Each structure stands twice: as structure tokens, then as C-alpha cells.
Amino acid sequence: AKSTCNFHFILKQMPREIITLQAGQCGNQIGHQFWQQLCAEHGINSDGFLEPFATQGGDRKDVFFYQADDEHYIPRALLLDLEPRVINTIQSSPFANLYNPENIYLSKHGGGAGNNWAVGYSSAEKVHEDIIDMIDREADGSDSLEGFQMIHSIAGGTGSGLGSYLLEKLNDRYPKKLVQTYSVFPNSQETSDVVVQPYNSMLTLKRLTLNADCVVVLDNTALTRVAVDALRLDQPTWAQTNTLVSTVMAASTTTLRYPGYMNNDMIGLIASLVPTPRCHFLMTGYTPLTCRPTRTHTRTHARPIVLRTHAHTHHLSSYTH
């Protein structure tokens, strides 16, 4: 009995690695903000080295990072896009040295998918060997890989088409690994210039239904509403709404990165949220919402926090009664 308990304790302490796939413009922009948020929480600077105050922490950085030979932390992330603009911006940012350059894939022609699901899907078919090799290399470097999380938009071309193809490949190549997505839905209150946006969304939704274990629904309508109503931003920028999404992503993975009594791994987290396999589209509520650091303090209690979390004004996905 003692050896069984010790073995169970060791399993609980082992980090269960998660590989992040960032597909398309939206996925890479949100992903970049997500890694900045994680670096700030774990005390990792823009070059991947620990700050002096963070050396004694008991957190599980290995879930989302791994250490290189020079002991700097590198995200377990793949940056994938069919046009170079966003990734070039990331590579010229202060966090350029954080990423592994071998985990960045850009299409050779650099023309993008033209906001067309079919173009993104067919482009992924042509280059899937290069992308799968990158995924396999990251998976082989993990001690106890638990699954994948994908960040993408369902309305464009690369995030929807290439993302759909990757979901099918992951389900086929890693059938026992969990796949969670953070999927950004289009703004339902605005007419898009992209005529095929509804088709992109429907074709991607089929793959999300069949090949993902958990889908966190985020939509631009709710993100814009939260930014305007809760954060008091007259004209919120993409950077501000992306920061909001990255904050929610970091909060939803907190129990994976910091040891606790519950939800220490992805399967425990998903099992408590998904009642049946097909009913795996999740809504997100978050509080408190702040747009900038403040020195003021507000006393609050558990009940108003729970009520605000369930309030429509704090939901990051839209719905009708």
C-alpha cells in the first residue's frame, strides 16, 4: 500500500506537458499575448531567463515551457501561418528570442489563404509533412505529453482551413492525447467583407465537433462588448481584445501550472466541464475586468464574484435567450 501511494504521489507531481499550436493571424496574435502573460506570471523575462525573484517558485513551468542547454525557457509552441506579416511582427518584438525558430512555419509563397477555408485546408495538405515533423519533435521532447491546445479563428482562411486539417491529423496521429481549442468566432453584429465567412465557420465547426475534446468559445461580438461596457474603451483595438483573451487563457490554465488539490492536469479539468463527448463547447466568464494596472483596492466577497462571473456582461461569448 505504501508503494502504491508513493507511485500515485509521483504521478501527481509529474508535469503533464501541453503543446500549443497557433494557427493564422488571430491565433498567433493571441498566442503571443498568452506567452507574455505566462512569462509575467512565472517570472520569465523576454529572453526566456528566470528573474532573480522567481528562482524559488514551486510552479510547474514545464507544462508549457522547456529548458534549453543554456537554461533559458522556451515555449512548447508552434507558430504556423501562410502569410508572414504577423510572425514577422513577433520576430521583431522584444520577445523574439523567447521562441524556438525551428518551431515557426511560414508558407514559402507567403500569399496566405485569402480568407478561404478550402485554400487553407489544401495548403495544409501540401505541407503537412513539415508541420507534423515539428509536432513530432516537440512530442518526442516531452516526458509525459498530455495533449494539445490550438488557438485560431474559425472565420478566416488559415486558422479555419489549416486548423481544421491539423485537428484531423492530431486525432489520427495522437488518438489518446487530448485536444483543446480556443476558437474565436466572428462578430455576428457586423457584415463582413469576406463573403465566404459563414462557409469557413461551418466547415470548421464540423471539425471542432468531431476532432476536439474541448472547445472554448470566444467571439468578437462579446469581446468588443466587454471592452466597451466593462473596460470603458470607446474603440477597442485588436491588441486590447487579444490581451483580454490571453488573460482568460492564463486563468483557465492556472491549476495546471500551480500545484493544488484539484484539476492538476488537462483531463481532470475537462472531465469536470464536459458532460458528454459531443457537448464540449464551453462558455467563458471572467472577473474582475480591468484595462490597466491600478493602485486602488476594492473589498469584495465570494458571492458578488460568483454573480459577476455568471453575468452576461462578463461572458466572452454571445448568446440569445
Side-chain angles (χ1 to χ4, degrees):
K2 183 177 180 181
S3 61
T4 303
C5 291
N6 289 339
F7 180 68
H8 180 71
F9 178 76
I10 291 172
L11 285 178
K12 281 290 186 181
Q13 295 301 312
M14 285 179 60
R16 303 295 306 277
E17 297 92 352
I18 297 172
I19 297 174
T20 301
L21 308 176
Q22 303 170 193
Q25 173 181 334
C26 176
N28 282 293
Q29 287 177 334
I30 293 176
H32 186 51
Q33 296 282 352
F34 173 67
W35 293 113
Q36 291 183 54
Q37 182 74 24
L38 260 58
C39 286
E41 292 186 10
H42 290 284
I44 300 173
N45 65 22
S46 58
D47 292 322
F49 292 98
L50 276 182
E51 299 286 1
F53 65 84
T55 56
Q56 302 299 321
D59 50 352
R60 293 175 176 171
K61 302 178 185 68
D62 292 344
V63 174
F64 286 100
F65 295 88
Y66 65 91
Q67 279 187 288
D69 294 335
D70 60 356
E71 296 189 350
H72 85 280
Y73 285 90
I74 299 175
R76 301 181 189 273
L78 274 65
L79 284 65
L80 313 169
D81 208 345
L82 298 178
E83 60 99 9
R85 182 165 52 90
V86 174
I87 290 183
N88 285 346
T89 302
I90 293 174
Q91 290 179 312
S92 60
S93 71
F95 284 81
N97 295 329
L98 183 69
Y99 304 97
N100 182 356
E102 295 181 354
N103 286 357
I104 297 176
Y105 176 82
L106 281 172
S107 175
K108 294 180 180 178
H109 63 79
N115 290 316
N116 190 306
W117 182 93
V119 175
Y121 191 90
S122 61
S123 298
E125 280 185 310
K126 297 174 184 176
V127 301
H128 75 275
E129 291 184 358
D130 295 334
I131 299 177
I132 293 300
D133 286 344
M134 295 165 61
I135 296 174
D136 288 343
R137 186 178 65 248
E138 282 297 311
D140 292 340
S142 304
D143 293 328
S144 180
L145 178 66
E146 184 169 27
F148 304 87
Q149 69 173 16
M150 178 183 291
I151 313 169
H152 69 133
S153 167
I154 73 166
T158 304
S160 63
L162 184 143
S164 295
Y165 187 84
L166 286 180
L167 286 171
E168 293 176 345
K169 277 295 179 182
L170 289 175
N171 198 20
D172 179 57
R173 197 172 185 86
Y174 298 95
K176 295 184 179 180
K177 304 302 181 184
L178 295 172
V179 178
Q180 179 182 7
T181 74
Y182 291 88
S183 304
V184 179
F185 285 59
N187 192 329
S188 61
Q189 297 180 351
E190 294 182 3
T191 302
S192 174
D193 296 332
V194 182
V195 179
V196 294
Q197 181 172 278
Y199 299 98
N200 296 340
S201 301
M202 291 303 298
L203 289 166
T204 309
L205 275 172
K206 177 183 177 182
R207 275 73 186 181
L208 290 172
T209 302
L210 297 177
N211 300 297
D213 297 292
C214 177
V215 178
V216 178
V217 178
L218 307 156
D219 75 85
N220 288 324
T221 305
L223 291 171
T224 302
R225 171 179 49 75
V226 168
V228 173
D229 296 343
L231 303 183
R232 302 293 189 266
L233 300 173
D234 295 332
Q235 294 182 331
T237 63
W238 290 117
Q240 290 168 326
T241 55
N242 289 342
T243 301
L244 185 60
V245 174
S246 66
T247 301
V248 171
M249 288 180 62
S252 65
T253 59
T254 299
T255 57
L256 308 179
R257 297 179 285 115
Y258 294 92
Y261 293 103
M262 295 179 60
N263 302 330
N264 290 317
D265 50 23
M266 186 187 287
I267 190 170
L269 189 63
I270 293 178
S272 62
L273 296 172
V274 177
T276 60
R278 287 295 178 90
C279 189
H280 60 250
F281 289 82
L282 307 181
M283 294 179 58
T284 306
Y286 184 81
T287 190
L289 293 167
T290 57
C291 59
R292 60 181 65 89
T294 177
R295 294 181 179 273
T296 60
H297 298 274
T298 303
R299 178 175 295 181
T300 186
H301 302 282
R303 187 173 185 274
I305 290 177
V306 173
L307 291 176
R308 285 199 300 269
T309 304
H310 288 81
H312 174 68
T313 53
H314 286 68
H315 286 172
L316 303 188
S317 54
S318 301
Y319 57 90
T320 56
H321 295 284

